Amino acid sequence: MERTFDVVVAGCGVAGLSAAVAAAERGLQVAVLERASRADRGGQSRYTEAYLRMKAIDQVSDDFETHLAENAAVYMDPDFEAEMAQGRESWSHAARALPVLDPELISCFADHVPETIAWLQGMGVKFDFLPTQFLTKTQPRLLPVGGGEALVEALAAKAESLGVTFLYHTTARRLIVDDNGTVQGLLAHHAQEGGLRLMGKVVLACGGFEGNSALMAKYIGPRSVYLRPVCKGGYFNRGEGIEMAFEAGAAPSGEFGSYHAEPVDPRSGVSEPSIFIFPYGVLVNKAGQRFTDEAPGTVDAYYERVTRRIYEQEQGIAYVILDQRVKDVPNYRLAIRTDQPAIEADTLAALAAKIGLPEGALEATVEGYNAACPAEDGFKPLELDGLATQGLAPRKSHWSRRIEQGPFIAYPIISSNVFTFGGLKINPSGQVLDTDGNPMENLYAAGEIVGTYYTNYTGATSVLKGLVFGRRSGNHIADAR
Ligand SMILES: Cc1cc2nc3c(=O)[nH]c(=O)nc-3n(C[C@H](O)[C@H](O)[C@H](O)COP(=O)(O)OP(=O)(O)OC[C@H]3O[C@@H](n4cnc5c(N)ncnc54)[C@H](O)[C@@H]3O)c2cc1C
């Protein structure tokens, strides 16, 4: 069956819905494809609390652009860096197709956050500085009341009121490209109806590849078997959008071998069963040994780096070991999202036996750690207190208090995959760039599918990225009519 629209959007998360609403508001006929059911629509966006890196309703955080720029590339050639400080028109062929987040895109992103938030407020979404799971933090985070689900439902309701066609259980598979390389639509598949030819300009907003084990192994490596999506929504994102765009000549961007890491309890099936309490205890691996500084700084700024160290351990797992004094930390429960109970025992030996650590290893580790802890005056659980271990490797930089008051507590922690970093390269209008750095005719991308980050995620920017560039794609298509 063939159907024609002005715009065909693959994906029904914040990015796809923003593109759809923006285009429909300008009078375009839009279709949104969602591989899931209507009840499950919204991908990852449905499950996120959607922290937004903003210090006010109309201002991004002070470090928004610098943090993105610092994590936009690795060992960038300084000549390219100098080129990119000038206007895009003057960039060389090589600079135009570099797989990095370029400065123009970063400033466009930051500049368009406030108007995008105001646009959502116009759809009835409320925002507030609500409590987060981070007990210590460096940057403020604004939240939509009701989280990502509220964003998805407000945008979808608006799209429905504007007459957008929703095609559920419909999976985008391939782009339809003519001999000039111009995208004419896409081929999709519905389990009962079979193949669909959907003609129109295409916005790819179907997420990363966290739900595709083959692509995870290909790009992130065989150890990715120890990773899993942080919530059920991640399983819908299987990388077809990236693969179909590559097949049509699109350029890559972002770190393909990496992903956003968040520490979770592997025993739990709830969305985002995170464990952010490790700065107040020690982390040990399956050998019962410490392997990282558990508290290099505020937890919001460092949890990803610590989680990557957990992923590197045998079978990608570690255990946080705590004693009863963790309960001195105000609101400590905020940092433990799992629905599974703590593993508890009266002695460290009994705790180690319950976890399955080698005999004597945990006691020896905690003994060494306790001996390296400083006097405890000055323990300040909610700010960097500088209570660092002395002469211990690896050291612990803050909140180092002896672990001695049983019953002792442990939680298992693995790294979850919140989303993958590698994806497509776009310009500020949301147009996908080809491997020569030129915009591909009629092809746009927004959201997770846009390759953005290297080494360290700029926290609380992924939802904003989807909203801003989804909306910009829809508007650009309408402008170009
Ligand atoms: C638990 C959790 C917490 C997070 N916390 C934050 C946070 O606090 N702040 C923040 O900024 N970011 C956060 N993130 C990341 C952020 O939520 C996502 O990266 C963002 O919402 C992605 O939006 P998207 O629209 O690009 O993709 P998604 O919301 O994942 O939407 C993709 C859509 O495409 C559909 N789809 C996939 N493939 C196809 C196909 N081939 N054909 C048709 N449809 C397809 C999916 O079903 C889905 O509807 C979090 C993510 C999770 C999961």
Side-chain angles (χ1 to χ4, degrees), residues 10-17 33-36 40-52 152 170-173 205-208 210 230-231 233-234 236-241 244 260 262 271-272 418-419 446-449 457 459-464 466:
C12 186
V14 288
L17 289 168
L33 279 64
E34 166 61 284
R35 77 174 336 136
D40 282 339
R41 71 181 177 188
Q44 303 252 79
S45 304
R46 168 168 288 280
Y47 291 87
T48 173
E49 279 182 279
Y51 299 171
L52 310 174
V152 167
T170 303
T171 299
R173 287 193 169 167
C206 42
E210 53 273 1
V230 71
C231 71
F236 293 119
N237 293 351
R238 298 181 191 148
E240 291 104 337
M244 69 178 94
H260 173 34
E262 184 175 324
S271 172
E272 206 179 7
V418 186
F419 57 83
E448 242 178 56
I449 195 173
Y457 169 50
T461 56
S462 191
V463 167
L464 285 173

Side-chain angles (χ1 to χ4, degrees), residues 93-115:
H93 183 273
R96 285 206 307 271
L98 279 181
V100 304
L101 190 65
D102 60 64
E104 211 173 276
L105 203 62
I106 292 174
S107 54
C108 169
F109 182 9
D111 291 348
H112 289 87
V113 166
E115 65 180 46

Side-chain angles (χ1 to χ4, degrees), residues 144-475:
V145 177
E149 189 175 351
L151 294 173
V152 167
E153 291 308 326
L155 283 159
K158 182 75 178 176
E160 281 160 358
S161 76
L162 291 166
V164 169
T165 302
F166 282 82
L167 301 170
Y168 295 106
H169 302 289
T170 303
T171 299
R173 287 193 169 167
R174 268 177 46 211
L175 292 171
I176 301 169
V177 184
D178 69 18
D179 289 348
N180 291 323
T182 303
V183 171
Q184 300 292 352
L186 58 73
L187 293 174
H189 192 264
H190 183 281
Q192 279 75 48
E193 292 170 23
L196 298 172
R197 279 175 75 84
L198 301 169
M199 308 307 287
K201 298 191 178 185
V202 172
V203 180
L204 295 173
C206 42
F209 54 88
E210 53 273 1
N212 183 329
S213 60
L215 289 183
M216 286 293 296
K218 175 176 169 183
Y219 290 119
I220 299 192
R223 292 196 87 254
S224 61
V225 71
Y226 297 123
L227 297 173
R228 72 173 195 221
V230 71
C231 71
K232 303 285 191 289
Y235 294 92
F236 293 119
N237 293 351
R238 298 181 191 148
E240 291 104 337
I242 296 170
E243 291 199 300
M244 69 178 94
F246 281 174
E247 197 187 335
S253 184
E255 185 179 353
F256 267 83
S258 193
Y259 67 96
H260 173 34
E262 184 175 324
V264 299
D265 181 345
R267 302 171 301 167
S268 175
V270 301
S271 172
E272 206 179 7
S274 49
I275 307 276
F276 284 108
I277 200 70
F278 49 79
Y280 305 103
V282 292
L283 284 167
V284 297
N285 56 20
K286 285 182 85 66
Q289 287 164 352
R290 288 182 65 244
F291 52 90
T292 189
D293 184 343
E294 295 84 352
T298 58
V299 72
D300 70 332
Y302 283 93
Y303 75 84
E304 176 158 69
R305 279 170 266 205
V306 174
T307 308
R308 291 192 194 291
R309 297 301 323 279
I310 293 172
Y311 174 53
E312 287 162 12
Q313 304 308 303
E314 185 187 343
Q315 294 181 10
I317 194 165
Y319 303 86
V320 57
I321 309 295
L322 303 154
D323 73 358
Q324 289 297 311
R325 291 193 304 164
V326 70
K327 295 173 184 168
D328 299 346
V329 177
N331 296 323
Y332 78 99
R333 289 288 326 172
L334 281 178
I336 304 171
R337 287 279 177 88
T338 177
D339 62 348
Q340 296 300 303
I343 303 166
E344 286 202 22
D346 288 336
T347 64
L348 286 168
L351 189 70
K354 278 191 172 175
I355 302 171
L357 302 180
E359 212 180 310
L362 181 63
E363 297 96 301
T365 296
V366 172
E367 196 182 321
Y369 164 76
N370 284 351
C373 284
E376 293 188 7
D377 327 337
F379 174 68
K380 293 188 192 121
L382 301 185
E383 56 189 277
L384 298 178
D385 64 4
L387 278 190
T389 53
Q390 311 286 320
L392 187 70
R395 87 178 207 144
K396 184 178 169 195
S397 299
H398 298 279
W399 308 300
S400 304
R401 294 203 300 172
R402 284 184 296 283
I403 296 173
E404 56 190 8
Q405 204 179 103
F408 298 96
I409 300 167
Y411 289 96
I413 304 180
I414 61 165
S415 170
S416 66
N417 181 359
V418 186
F419 57 83
T420 44
F421 281 179
L424 306 177
K425 187 170 173 66
I426 59 165
N427 67 13
S429 302
Q431 292 174 288
V432 174
L433 300 182
D434 67 18
T435 46
D436 292 305
N438 299 313
M440 293 176 71
E441 197 98 6
N442 296 348
L443 186 62
Y444 294 77
E448 242 178 56
I449 195 173
V450 174
T452 306
Y453 311 100
Y454 278 88
T455 67
N456 191 24
Y457 169 50
T458 302
T461 56
S462 191
V463 167
L464 285 173
K465 181 179 69 158
L467 293 166
V468 167
F469 290 106
R471 181 167 179 252
R472 285 185 67 74
S473 298
N475 279 329

